[in-house]
Structure formats: C-alpha cells, structure tokens
Amino acid sequence: MTLFDYYARYMTELWEGKRPAPAGITLPEDGDEKARIQSLAQQLQAMGMAEFVRACAAQDGTVLPEDLFSEHIDPNGLEFFLRDPDAPEPAPEKPATPDPDANKHAFEVFLDCIAMDDGLVQYLIDVLKRMDRKEFFKLSQITTKLDLDPEEFLYWLGRRELYAGEEEQACAVMMDHALLRLAEEGRLDVVAALLSGDQKTFETFRCEAPELVHAPAATFDWYAKNYLDRDYPIRLIMRLNGVKFPN
C-alpha cells in the first residue's frame, strides 16, 4: 500500500465512525455535512498526510516502514487534496496566465484532479462501484468545492462525446470499440500501452485494427487530440474495472 492508500483508508474509517480521531484531529459533531467535511479538510491540511497516517497507525499499534513516508508527493498532486477548501487562492503572478479550467465543465475539472494520481483513480472507481454518495461528495468537495452528484457524473461521462464535435465523436467511438475489443481478447498490455500514449504501439496497432485501418484520419495526433487529451481513457479504465454507466 502507498502512503495515500493508508491515508484514504484511515480518513474513511474516521469519517464513518469506525476509528476514533487521533491526537490533533477533532471530528465536529455539529453542523451540516459540508461544514464537517471542510473542518476535517482544514485539520488534515494543518496536520499533513504523513503525520495523520503515523497517528492512525500508532492507534492500531502498527509500525509502518519508514520508506513509506519518504515517497515523493507531487506538490501539485496529492497535497492538493489536503488543502484548506476555504483558503484564498494565491495571487496570480504578473503577467497573469489564463486559467486552464476557465471554460471547463465541473466534471472535467473533477476528473483532471482525480487523474493526478493512480490511487485516486482506483479510489473513485471503488466509490462509484459501491455508489457511495458520501465518499463521492467528499471527493467533489475537496477537489472542486462543489456538490457533485455521482449519477449525474456517470451520465455525463458516459455520453462525453455527444457534447463534442464530429471528429472527436468519431475518434471516441472507434477507439472505445478497438480498446474494448483488445480487452476482450486479453491483450491488456496493448490497451495499457495505448492508454499511456505510446506512439509506436499506436502506429503498429492502426495497421491491424479493423476500426482504424481504413480511416486515413486516424493518425497518432488525431488519437492524442481527440481521445488521450479528453476524459475517454479514464472512462475506459472505469468500464474495465466494473463501473456501470446509465443507459
């Protein structure tokens, strides 16, 4: 297990009342759900992920390996999820750069945050398979500060290409079909390479794939622009891991 795996496990146990609050954390009993989540997020931010995991492990009498706490944490990755939800955003440097999320749907921003770490992707998959609204709500609050609904999220993601242009729609349909076929054939190594953006694998695959071989537009740039750079890879991973999308 990674440091984040322990963090997610302990945080969930704490929130569900299966674990007493460790020293330094006070779980508020009053207030609405949103206020309680924000209070917990603020305390976790102040305490830090590593110290929270140490404190919870100590409660159990568990000694975790020290190298677990030496894992590199991307400052733009996991620590982002522990920041104070009400903390003011830092003032932009001048000249100010455009906000990359300015014209994005809330669900797109949510997925961008989740995709920062494989552990978060797996955690989201587990939450959606259980349709755990409380956990989904916590994730959406911490990442986007919005109250997102899991069913609406799945409806939107399942129809993601319908909101796009014709080129992206065609690419999504062709690549979904090709990748799901590969998975059914047990060629998961090829699926993984394609989803990771390996150009050589794509060039080889397009020469054999019936979905692509007669499509002159199906270049790697076309694939990267209309599939990899969108939310389709994470949608495919969810499907392959048993997440059900509404019809």
Side-chain angles (χ1 to χ4, degrees):
M1 293 176 66
T2 66
L3 181 62
F4 180 78
D5 291 331
Y6 281 106
Y7 161 73
R9 170 187 157 191
Y10 292 148
M11 184 183 71
T12 300
E13 291 175 351
L14 175 62
W15 188 257
E16 293 179 349
K18 298 177 181 178
R19 168 179 296 277
I25 297 291
T26 302
L27 191 60
E29 298 180 358
D30 300 324
D32 60 22
E33 190 86 350
K34 179 178 179 179
R36 296 175 69 210
I37 289 173
Q38 289 181 344
S39 175
L40 178 59
Q42 290 168 354
Q43 294 180 70
L44 289 172
Q45 165 68 14
M47 189 174 198
M49 183 186 298
E51 289 308 311
F52 175 71
V53 170
R54 286 183 192 275
C56 291
Q59 285 180 314
D60 301 337
T62 302
V63 179
L64 298 176
E66 277 303 312
D67 58 357
L68 182 74
F69 300 98
S70 63
E71 292 178 359
H72 171 71
I73 297 177
D74 183 352
N76 294 316
L78 297 181
E79 292 298 331
F80 169 84
F81 298 95
L82 297 181
R83 70 182 185 182
D84 181 351
D86 292 325
E89 297 293 333
E93 297 181 2
K94 295 184 181 296
T97 55
D99 180 0
D101 296 333
N103 298 314
K104 287 188 175 182
H105 192 287
F107 290 143
E108 290 183 80
V109 178
F110 174 66
L111 280 177
D112 286 347
C113 295
I114 294 297
M116 289 179 179
D117 185 83
D118 290 342
L120 285 175
V121 174
Q122 292 302 318
Y123 185 54
L124 176 61
I125 288 172
D126 179 62
V127 167
L128 290 172
K129 288 172 69 174
R130 293 184 285 112
M131 195 48 69
D132 190 326
R133 290 179 173 276
K134 181 183 289 187
E135 291 301 309
F136 189 88
F137 176 79
K138 284 194 289 185
L139 274 176
S140 68
Q141 274 288 321
I142 294 172
T143 55
T144 67
K145 304 180 185 177
L146 297 174
D147 302 339
L148 303 181
D149 181 271
E151 292 179 346
E152 291 180 1
F153 168 72
L154 288 174
Y155 183 89
W156 172 84
L157 185 57
R159 292 160 174 76
R160 177 73 171 84
E161 62 271 29
L162 299 183
Y163 309 108
E166 291 183 4
E167 182 180 71
E168 184 176 323
Q169 287 185 29
C171 180
V173 170
M174 283 191 279
M175 290 308 305
D176 272 354
H177 188 276
L179 290 163
L180 289 171
R181 175 177 56 78
L182 285 174
E184 290 175 359
E185 295 171 357
R187 300 171 65 186
L188 295 178
D189 56 332
V190 180
V191 173
L194 289 170
L195 292 181
S196 71
D198 187 278
Q199 183 170 355
K200 184 176 180 180
T201 300
F202 178 84
E203 299 292 353
T204 301
F205 176 65
R206 70 169 295 213
C207 295
E208 68 171 71
E211 299 89 350
L212 305 177
V213 70
H214 298 300
T219 64
F220 180 77
D221 288 342
W222 167 87
Y223 169 56
K225 171 187 172 184
N226 295 296
Y227 198 89
L228 292 179
D229 292 346
R230 299 295 186 263
D231 303 305
Y232 305 117
I234 197 168
R235 182 177 73 178
L236 187 85
I237 291 170
M238 288 180 180
R239 281 179 170 153
L240 294 178
N241 281 274
V243 174
K244 303 298 183 183
F245 289 84
N247 296 324

